[in-house]
Amino acid sequence: MRILSGIQPSGALHIGNYFGALRQFIDLQRENDAYYFVADYHALTSVRDADQLRAYTFDVMVTMLSLGLDPDRATLFVQSDVPETTELAWLLTTVTPMGWLQKCVSYKDKVEQGLSAEHGLFAYPVLQAADILLYDADLVPVGQDQKQHLEITRDIAERFNQVFGGGKEVFRLPKPHILESVAVVPGLDGRKMSKSYGNTIEIFDEPAAIKKKVKRIVTDSTPVEAPKNPETDSLYHLFKLFAAPDELAEVERRYREGGIGYGEVKTRLADAMIARFAPARERRAEWLAHPGRVEEVRAAAAERARATARRVLDRARRACGVG
Ligand code: ADP
Ligand code: TRP
């Protein structure tokens, strides 16, 4: 199967990105033909400093590589290294009804958060559809918040096939891959962990910073001895993502019976987080010491990605009669 997904370089990646997206990227690279990219064209809707965008783009590449994305198995590229993307986005935009974009919650959310209501933000889902359709993707691993964008992608593909394909399939219809257990990772304040809420723990935060942030996770005021409901506690939810099964069973039992304090859970969570990412932290230091190697990965992947993209773009151009 062809797997494809992207992640925006709009800041350091956090553990919501890890469980919602990156971990699936790594799992799926083994038995599939995987394409992953750094969505720098998309990030332009929020990052407005060229040097900063370049630095974030590099950082996201390094983060993916450090976490175990294997450049010999997966094609790990940068979106703007394949300018065919923007051409396809235009072709798709000609068959995209305004109403579909108007109902997109991510646009409304971002404008509410203070981003200006620019056309790029409005047309963001069309560019995302181009990313996906350009590589004949079968499966797109993402977190829950991207579900609507995947639906629009399918709708646009179907409409293009209908309008220009004359019944023939120009684009393959992709499916989302969303793991329910990690669909929404909570942040320090209990809302969805997100850069835009300032409630994140970054994957590569220093151990001392991880400990400090974990202490800030919001809990209720149930005393140590009292029974607690693990299902409604975001600290427990985070702990569940990191704990070994026997440790989790013990903590769950003590929640339900009473006798465990949130302070203890926080200490164990911070330790588990630090331990989980320790090997990746070492690999990261290694990649950072050899930036030339990251550039080599990027260049080789761009070439592979572009060859695939070219074939699909030509198919789309022929179908609609340009060129
Ligand atoms: P942010 O909300 O921090 O800006 P992005 O929108 O850049 O994160 O998300 C990149 C990827 O990580 C997407 O696939 C998204 O669904 C996933 N993701 C982001 N935050 C979470 C979260 N809290 N829980 C699960 N998945 C998430
Ligand atoms: N919109 C996605 C996000 O904010 C990033 C993205 C861009 C993407 N293009 C994509 C994800 C294509 C999957 C497939 O997380």
Side-chain angles (χ1 to χ4, degrees):
M1 268 204 296
R2 171 71 50 82
I3 311 293
L4 174 127
S5 194
I7 201 146
Q8 287 194 74
S10 45
L13 299 183
H14 54 71
I15 61 174
N17 300 138
Y18 176 71
F19 286 104
L22 294 164
R23 202 174 58 164
Q24 275 70 261
F25 294 8
I26 295 159
D27 289 347
L28 288 165
Q29 72 181 345
R30 235 160 275 137
E31 287 174 6
N32 298 284
D33 179 19
Y35 282 65
Y36 302 122
F37 66 94
V38 185
D40 58 345
Y41 282 144
H42 277 107
L44 278 177
T45 58
S46 61
V47 182
R48 295 295 164 80
D49 176 313
D51 288 335
Q52 184 159 63
L53 184 60
R54 274 187 281 270
Y56 283 159
T57 300
F58 180 79
D59 183 67
V60 171
M61 285 285 287
V62 170
T63 298
M64 288 177 163
L65 290 165
S66 313
L67 290 170
L69 277 182
D70 177 352
D72 292 328
R73 285 180 191 274
T75 302
L76 183 57
F77 65 105
V78 174
Q79 186 184 29
S80 65
D81 287 344
V82 186
E84 284 79 1
T85 313
T86 57
E87 183 175 349
L88 182 60
W90 177 256
L91 302 187
L92 299 179
T93 218
T94 64
V95 297
T96 305
M98 292 288 284
W100 293 0
L101 301 177
Q102 266 152 357
K103 69 171 198 225
C104 273
V105 289
S106 78
Y107 173 74
K108 291 185 224 159
D109 281 357
K110 287 177 182 170
V111 172
E112 259 169 42
Q113 282 160 23
L115 291 189
S116 11
E118 284 153 344
H119 178 253
L121 201 55
F122 188 68
Y124 183 113
V126 186
L127 182 60
Q128 184 160 348
D131 292 329
I132 297 170
L133 301 177
L134 195 53
Y135 300 95
D136 278 337
D138 296 298
L139 208 64
V140 183
V142 280
Q144 182 74 35
D145 56 355
Q146 294 298 311
K147 196 167 176 216
Q148 192 179 38
H149 289 163
L150 267 291
E151 282 161 8
I152 291 196
T153 298
R154 284 178 66 95
D155 290 344
I156 293 176
E158 278 182 326
R159 206 168 134 114
F160 193 99
N161 287 347
Q162 200 182 29
V163 172
F164 291 122
K168 279 203 305 286
E169 182 189 282
V170 184
F171 294 120
R172 189 177 296 176
L173 297 189
K175 287 200 184 65
H177 175 74
I178 300 172
L179 285 189
E180 283 314 316
S181 54
V182 290
V184 184
V185 175
L188 302 182
D189 58 358
R191 293 188 292 170
K192 181 199 125 162
M193 184 175 288
S194 171
K195 283 182 285 256
S196 39
Y197 297 151
N199 62 358
T200 57
I201 300 177
E202 272 71 52
I203 299 168
F204 292 118
D205 268 341
E206 288 302 319
I210 292 183
K211 287 186 184 162
K212 219 163 132 189
K213 288 188 180 174
V214 166
K215 286 209 182 95
R216 280 175 40 209
I217 294 171
V218 172
T219 52
D220 60 25
S221 52
T222 318
V224 175
E225 329 70 68
K228 303 173 184 62
N229 183 358
E231 266 99 60
T232 55
D233 179 35
S234 46
L235 172 61
Y236 181 84
H237 193 123
L238 286 166
F239 185 70
K240 195 171 168 179
L241 297 170
F242 286 94
D246 50 340
E247 205 185 355
L248 184 66
E250 178 222 314
V251 169
E252 184 187 356
R253 183 177 51 72
R254 290 172 61 208
Y255 258 75
R256 295 194 192 280
E257 288 173 357
I260 191 164
Y262 293 126
E264 178 188 336
V265 184
K266 285 181 176 179
T267 306
R268 289 169 73 163
L269 171 61
D271 290 345
M273 251 179 215
I274 293 163
R276 164 75 71 99
F277 295 123
R281 195 170 286 120
E282 274 174 34
R283 286 195 295 265
R284 179 179 167 82
E286 193 58 26
W287 283 107
L288 289 177
H290 302 95
R293 291 188 194 156
V294 181
E295 295 308 325
E296 278 167 30
V297 167
R298 175 174 174 171
E303 209 173 302
R304 282 208 299 272
R306 244 186 134 167
T308 305
R310 197 66 245 171
R311 279 195 298 276
V312 181
L313 180 63
D314 284 344
R315 210 161 72 208
R317 287 171 60 113
R318 268 199 309 279
C320 63
V322 296

